[in-house]
């Protein structure tokens, strides 16, 4: 390559390298390789040369053209990458921020209550178990010592599903207790579970909804006794309602699947028309419990001469209404945004025994 072309080449490559944007680079390309560009102009002059000179000069110009074209391509790719990087940096989103800070969602009091119960029982060593909402009659009733003609079946106001042809009608579970059976069939003792979940009964007024929630508890071991049941539930009530010396009373009761059975009341007062939990002259029933009936253990293949256990079932809506001062149970399921914002909880503060339940 002759000297003039060598210096032209370094000049052109320097211009390519200096182009700071796709537009500037395009201007360089047009100025060198375009129809009226410098290299194109030099090519046009070839016609005036003698054949010998023309050949050498033509080859040199072609080499120059190729090299400049390659440099242009490379620079173009670099600039495109820079453009992309800049765009990505500019459009960066902090996904941990709420999309619309003025409109954060909140946790429903039912979810909050379940999370608080899990935090408390979790601290005592219970793990969460689950079962189906659509349940077989055997799990919901028979295995729990509620045979077909038992009056408790009527009391449950059961929703039955259509007969599937084999004479078996499935039910919407009327309590979370069938998960006791499923767990005892699948797991060898020791067992220590809680079961938060939906339950269904055909009933509807200010204190009943056809769909509601319970938390079941089940503990099975060799030396489990009524004292453990009482201690566990007293601790739960005091932690949940955040009253250290909350009065808790166990009143004899009856459930086919526990023997003996009890209902648990907590102290409250209605003085001056104001309901308050704590010391007072009145009691409020909040849950059912008892020692697992040996027949139920045997129905699940657990030797009742070796193992015994306790169980309890507590209504979530009832707990939430008492703790958060919610007067009507039906409002839980109306999805009224004003209600949800008023009674809802921060999604960023998970309940825990160390961090606090619902601060
Ligand atoms: N399953 C009972 C109910 O729904 C509650 C309960 C559970 C009672 C476990 C005793 C033991 O009313």
């Amino acid at each position: 390559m002759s000297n003039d072309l060598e210096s032209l080449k370094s000049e052109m490559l320097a211009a390519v390298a200096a182009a700071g944007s796709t537009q500037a680079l395009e201007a360089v390309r047009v100025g060198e390789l375009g129809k009226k560009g410098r290299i194109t102009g030099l090519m046009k002059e070839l016609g005036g040369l003698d054949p010998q000179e023309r050949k050498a000069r033509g080859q040199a110009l072609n080499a120059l053209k190729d090299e400049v074209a390659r440099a242009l391509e490379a620079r173009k790719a670099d600039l495109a990458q820079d453009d992309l990087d800049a765009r990505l940096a500019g459009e960066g989103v902090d996904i941990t921020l709420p999309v619309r800070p003025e409109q954060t969602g909140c946790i429903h009091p039912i979810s909050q209550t379940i999370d608080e119960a899990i935090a408390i029982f979790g601290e005592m060593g219970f793990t969460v178990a689950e079962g189906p909402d659509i349940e077989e009659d055997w799990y919901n009733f028979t295995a729990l010592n509620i045979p077909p003609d038992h009056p408790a079946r009527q009391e449950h106001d059961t929703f039955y599903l259509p007969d599937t042809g084999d004479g078996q009608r499935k039910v919407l579970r009327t309590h979370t207790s069938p998960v006791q059976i499923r767990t005892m069939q699948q797991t060898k003792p020791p067992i220590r579970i809680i079961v938060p979940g939906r339950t269904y009964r055909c009933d509807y007024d200010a204190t009943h909804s056809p769909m509601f929630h319970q938390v079941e508890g089940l503990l099975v071991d060799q030396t489990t006794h009524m004292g453990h049941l009482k201690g566990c539930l007293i601790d739960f009530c005091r932690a949940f309602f955040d009253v250290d010396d909350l009065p808790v009373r166990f009143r004899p009761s009856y459930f086919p699947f526990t023997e003996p059975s009890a209902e648990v009341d907590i102290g409250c007062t209605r003085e001056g028309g104001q309901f308050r939990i704590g010391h007072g002259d009145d009691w409020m029933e909040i849950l059912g419990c008892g020692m697992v009936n040996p027949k139920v253990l045997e129905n699940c293949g657990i030797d009742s001469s070796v193992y015994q256990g306790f169980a309890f079932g507590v209504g979530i809506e009832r707990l939430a209404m008492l703790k958060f001062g919610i007067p009507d149970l039906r409002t839980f399921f109306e999805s009224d945004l004003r209600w949800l914002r008023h009674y809802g909880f921060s999604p960023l503060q998970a309940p825990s025994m160390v961090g606090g339940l619902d601060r």
Side-chain angles (χ1 to χ4, degrees):
M1 211 181 272
S2 56
N3 278 343
D4 69 323
L5 292 191
E6 280 296 349
S7 65
L8 201 55
K9 183 173 96 176
S10 13
E11 193 190 314
M12 287 179 180
L13 294 181
V16 169
S21 69
T22 331
Q23 292 90 321
L25 188 67
E26 178 61 6
V28 173
R29 189 190 67 80
V30 171
E32 314 296 7
L33 298 176
K35 273 197 190 111
K36 293 179 181 150
R38 279 200 287 181
I39 295 182
T40 322
L42 290 171
M43 295 280 202
K44 283 179 186 155
E45 288 168 12
L46 287 173
L49 300 178
D50 65 54
Q52 209 50 11
E53 259 184 314
R54 192 192 303 156
K55 191 176 171 207
R57 180 79 174 168
Q59 278 173 355
L61 279 173
N62 270 328
L64 172 65
K65 187 179 152 190
D66 287 349
E67 195 161 349
V68 172
R70 267 201 306 279
L72 280 164
E73 275 312 308
R75 182 74 189 136
K76 195 170 154 188
D78 282 353
L79 286 173
Q81 185 62 49
D82 289 351
D83 281 353
L84 184 61
D85 289 346
R87 221 179 108 193
L88 287 174
E91 288 176 1
V93 172
D94 181 350
I95 56 166
T96 62
L97 290 176
V99 182
R100 294 161 77 181
E102 76 286 5
Q103 275 194 19
T104 17
C106 51
I107 301 294
H108 194 284
I110 295 286
S111 306
Q112 176 74 20
T113 306
I114 289 175
D115 290 348
E116 293 184 16
I118 291 174
I120 299 168
F121 286 117
E123 186 82 5
M124 298 182 197
F126 288 82
T127 55
V128 173
E130 288 183 313
D133 289 17
I134 298 175
E135 190 53 281
E136 286 168 35
D137 183 285
W138 189 81
Y139 285 101
N140 195 79
F141 293 122
T142 313
L144 286 161
N145 195 36
I146 317 176
D149 50 0
H150 197 285
R153 289 214 180 202
Q154 275 71 59
E155 281 158 34
H156 275 217
D157 298 311
T158 315
F159 286 112
Y160 284 94
L161 274 73
D163 191 335
T164 46
D166 52 2
Q168 290 291 321
R169 281 199 297 170
K170 291 204 171 175
V171 301
L172 292 182
R173 65 177 179 194
T174 58
H175 48 182
T176 39
S177 302
V179 185
Q180 286 191 33
I181 305 298
R182 290 182 175 274
T183 307
M184 286 192 278
Q185 278 184 334
Q186 285 160 16
T187 331
K188 281 210 181 85
I191 292 169
R192 199 182 285 208
I193 54 150
I194 53 166
V195 185
R198 295 186 170 186
T199 46
Y200 306 82
R201 289 182 202 178
C202 188
D203 210 347
Y204 186 63
D205 61 34
T207 51
H208 296 90
S209 150
M211 187 280 296
F212 59 106
H213 298 75
Q214 293 188 334
V215 173
E216 190 85 7
L218 173 70
L219 190 148
V220 180
D221 209 339
Q222 295 192 11
T223 56
T224 310
H225 56 69
M226 194 83 187
H228 297 135
L229 168 62
K230 290 185 73 176
C232 172
L233 291 177
I234 291 170
D235 279 357
F236 170 75
C237 292
R238 292 182 174 166
F240 181 79
F241 289 106
D242 196 20
V243 179
D244 285 346
D245 55 352
L246 178 68
V248 181
R249 175 172 87 170
F250 287 72
R251 196 164 29 76
S253 184
Y254 173 77
F255 299 102
F257 33 91
T258 45
E259 181 59 36
S261 303
E263 278 170 312
V264 175
D265 303 333
I266 54 173
C268 65
T269 150
R270 291 186 173 83
E271 243 173 46
Q274 263 267 352
F275 178 84
R276 243 191 31 254
I277 285 170
H279 288 272
D281 48 6
D282 214 344
W283 296 98
M284 178 62 114
E285 180 203 321
I286 62 156
L287 61 86
C289 62
M291 300 304 295
V292 179
N293 191 316
K295 287 188 198 160
V296 174
L297 294 173
E298 296 294 340
N299 287 343
C300 303
I302 293 178
D303 186 346
S304 63
S305 67
V306 180
Y307 291 104
Q308 44 197 15
F310 68 72
F312 56 87
V314 47
I316 293 293
E317 283 80 359
R318 165 64 74 91
L319 286 184
M321 287 166 84
L322 292 174
K323 180 163 180 179
F324 307 129
I326 302 172
D328 189 328
L329 187 140
R330 289 168 292 201
T331 57
F332 280 104
F333 310 114
E334 281 171 356
S335 298
D336 180 330
L337 270 182
R338 291 162 306 172
W339 186 94
L340 289 168
R341 282 190 195 118
H342 180 77
Y343 287 111
F345 290 85
S346 163
L348 300 175
Q349 275 167 331
S352 82
M353 290 303 279
V354 281
L357 288 180
D358 43 50
R359 269 147 253 257

